[in-house]
């Protein structure tokens, strides 16, 4: 197995994402948006 | 099933399996067999962890839950994206840096062999049993509805997976996972489209959602904190976070998937993409169940979706009682159709008073229908005490068989098999890798050549496969099976997670305190479950916190260990 450096890890980021903390922010932000959307959907259709 | 359905079923499964074996051909060593030589890109990691988590039960029970209980089950997954972030920051870099094959190897580095063996034992016990259940759960449903023999269905389900797992190892598992997830996603979209297509011509997708909403099925968020409620936003965020963290962080069936990533970044990306995709996927599956519910508002539904049991009732001493219930249910179905038509008309006119009136009528009708279904279930139990009366597991399959066109039935049965095979394959692989790396190589034969461990891993895979099929044959009847699997995991996962969190974050706590802390915590969790003190999702939180608490307290009373 080859040793994996943190530099290599950063180069695996998707396009337009500059760092892992930014990527994690997107994941958590998406979760919040999903919960808000679900809440809106529930209120709209109930 | 028709000949075309059989051809679609066999063709789809054969393609998936042969493709997986073809892509994993070539000379293998132990690293290739157990972690695919750490050569796979992020999308393999992502689809592989998703396929491992999404068992057949997901596609049988979840639409049934959408049908009977609405969409609140989606909250169960709210903790998952948060867990993916923590895993990416903490677990993945450590596992990659230490170049481990299993998560438990790390525990011996940090503590001692005793702590490693304790967590390995908990894992093998829970994963071995739950894999047997993963084989049994879809098998019993397919066998009941399609009239297949349960023994042969169990053997088929468990043995086909064994062939490609032993032949191609983790690489074959990963390639089959990718194909399985693609087919599952496409088929679920088609199923959702077909349900809407089967609704009356003037009822579109949004109309269906409006009807579902008025019937309380779009219950996506429950804000009230109730520790005894299984699904609310708090149990999902907190309990779900701990469950997913322990499942993905310490269950080798998942750790083994993301250790296949070709770098820390590729493994991380696979997991965070899972964090982005899992909730929408679960939402889609539940939505299909809700649409099936709407379909049955406009059309008569069976009084019991496990129609094999109602057919048995008709020729039993309870036939008279059953016919009475059925007539009552048929009257109710006709009333329900009228009510939903009036509700749709009121919704079109935006007549709030009429909407409220028809909504009340619809809910009252449903309460009455539930009572009749419950009375039917009692009758079925009286007639056949071993009958499976958890009707929620039969809703979607019954709908598929009764209403979807030829060809699509075969495809959806293939989806159920595929999903089952995906999670079982990962489980076989993890059971084998843990047995060989954590037990055989460590304690029985530490200095054998690589080729010996490769052969031993293949033998271990076969033995665990046979064990799981054996468990499947003797699995007892359970409630909603998706919950049963999660409950079994929750008894052990929290404690295992607690051990790992102590290892990562409490550097002063040593092996002795952690070992006894974990044992006391496991006793505590089992006591909470036994006396039914809380909903099962919280057992993960309790188990984890108890290990940390006990280990820390015991450490304060321990003499410092000498190196």
């Amino acid at each position: 197995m080859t040793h994996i450096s943190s530099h290599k890890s950063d180069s695996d980021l998707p396009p337009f994402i500059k760092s892992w903390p930014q990527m994690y922010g997107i994941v958590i932000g998406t979760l919040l948006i999903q919960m808000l959307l679900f809440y809106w959907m529930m209120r709209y259709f109930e | 099933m028709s000949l075309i359905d059989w051809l679609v079923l066999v063709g789809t499964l054969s393609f998936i399996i042969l493709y997986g074996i073809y892509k994993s051909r070539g000379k293998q060593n132990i690293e290739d067999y157990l972690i695919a030589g750490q050569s796979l890109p992020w999308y393999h990691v992502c689809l592989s962890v998703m396929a491992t988590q999404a068992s057949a039960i997901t596609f049988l029970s979840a639409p049934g839950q959408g049908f009977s209980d609405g969409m609140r089950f989606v909250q169960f997954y709210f903790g998952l994206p948060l867990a993916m972030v923590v895993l990416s920051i903490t677990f993945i870099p450590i596992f990659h840096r230490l170049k481990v094959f299993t998560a438990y190897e790390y525990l011996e580095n940090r503590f001692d062999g005793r702590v490693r063996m304790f967590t390995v034992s908990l894992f093998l016990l829970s994963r071995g049993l739950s894999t047997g259940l993963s084989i049994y759960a879809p098998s019993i449903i397919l066998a009941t509805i399609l009239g297949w023999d349960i023994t042969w269905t169990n053997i088929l389900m468990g043995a086909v997976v064994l062939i490609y797992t032993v032949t191609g190892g983790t690489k074959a598992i990963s390639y089959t996972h990718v194909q399985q997830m693609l087919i599952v996603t496409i088929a679920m979209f088609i199923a959702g489209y077909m349900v809407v297509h089967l609704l009356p011509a003037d009822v579109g997708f949004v109309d269906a959602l409006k009807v579902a909403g008025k019937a309380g099925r779009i219950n996506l968020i429950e804000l009230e904190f109730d520790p005894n409620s299984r699904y609310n936003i708090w149990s999902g965020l907190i309990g779900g976070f701990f469950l997913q963290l322990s499942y993905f962080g310490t269950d080798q069936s998942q750790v083994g998937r993301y250790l296949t990533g070709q770098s820390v970044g590729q493994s991380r990306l696979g997991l965070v993409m899972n964090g982005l995709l899992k909730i929408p996927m679960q939402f889609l599956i539940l939505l299909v169940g809700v649409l099936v519910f709407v379909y049955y508002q406009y059309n008569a539904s069976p009084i019991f979706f496990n129609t094999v049991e109602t057919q048995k009732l008709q020729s039993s001493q309870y036939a008279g009682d059953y016919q009475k219930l059925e007539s009552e249910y048929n009257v109710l179905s006709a009333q329900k159709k009228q009510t939903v038509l009036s509700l749709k008309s009121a919704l079109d006119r935006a007549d709030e008073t009429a909407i409220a009136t028809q909504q009340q009528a619809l809910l009252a009708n449903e309460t009455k229908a539930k009572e009749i279904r419950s009375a039917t279930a009692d009758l079925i139990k009286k007639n056949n005490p071993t009958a499976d009366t958890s009707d929620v597991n039969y809703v979607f399959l019954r709908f598929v068989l009764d209403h979807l066109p030829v060809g699509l039935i075969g495809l959806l049965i293939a989806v159920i098999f595929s999903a089952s095979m995906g999670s079982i394959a990962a489980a076989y692989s993890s059971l084998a890798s843990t047995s060989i790396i954590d037990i055989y190589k460590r304690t029985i034969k530490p200095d054998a050549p690589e080729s010996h461990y490769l052969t031993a891993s293949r033998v271990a895979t076969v033995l665990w496969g046979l064990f799981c099929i054996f468990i499947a044959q003797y699995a007892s009847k359970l409630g909603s099976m998706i919950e049963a699997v999660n409950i079994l995991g929750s008894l052990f996962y929290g404690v295992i997670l607690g051990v790992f969190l102590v290892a990562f974050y409490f550097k002063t706590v040593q092996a002795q305190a952690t070992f006894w802390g974990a044992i006391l915590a496991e006793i505590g969790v089992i006591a909470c479950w036994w006396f039914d003190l809380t909903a099962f999702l919280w057992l993960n939180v309790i188990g984890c916190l108890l290990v940390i608490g006990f280990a820390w307290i015991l450490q304060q009373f321990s003499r410092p260990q000498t190196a």
Side-chain angles (χ1 to χ4, degrees), chain A residues 1-5 8-10 12-14 20 23-24 26-28 30-31 34-35 37-39 41-42 44-46, chain B residues 31 38 78 81-82 85 88-89 209-210 213-214 218-221 223 233 263-266 268-269 272 276 279-280 283:
Chain A
M1 270 172 268
T2 49
H3 181 72
I4 292 44
S5 68
K8 175 82 176 83
S9 166
D10 281 350
D12 289 321
L13 283 162
W20 283 106
M23 187 72 219
Y24 302 145
I26 290 170
V27 173
I28 294 167
T30 307
L31 171 66
Q34 280 170 346
M35 289 195 296
L37 273 176
F38 288 166
Y39 186 72
M41 193 177 162
M42 181 181 75
Y44 181 79
F45 287 110
E46 77 183 1
Chain B
E31 205 179 301
Q38 291 199 311
F78 283 173
L82 305 175
V85 170
S88 296
I89 294 170
L209 289 184
K210 283 180 181 171
K214 295 300 171 195
I218 313 287
N219 49 352
L220 286 155
I221 303 279
L223 290 169
I233 194 168
S263 66
V264 170
Q266 294 290 308
R268 275 178 170 166
L269 198 52
V272 294
L276 289 172
I279 293 174
F283 174 85

Side-chain angles (χ1 to χ4, degrees), chain B residues 33-76:
Chain B
Y33 186 76
L34 296 182
I35 51 174
Q38 291 199 311
S39 61
L40 300 178
W42 68 268
Y43 55 90
H44 267 266
V45 174
C46 174
L47 294 174
S48 200
V49 295
M50 289 181 85
T52 300
Q53 190 176 26
S55 68
I57 306 166
T58 309
F59 297 96
L60 289 170
S61 269
Q65 289 206 0
F67 172 90
S68 64
D69 196 31
M71 301 186 76
R72 68 191 190 118
F73 181 59
V74 78
Q75 298 169 108
F76 176 83

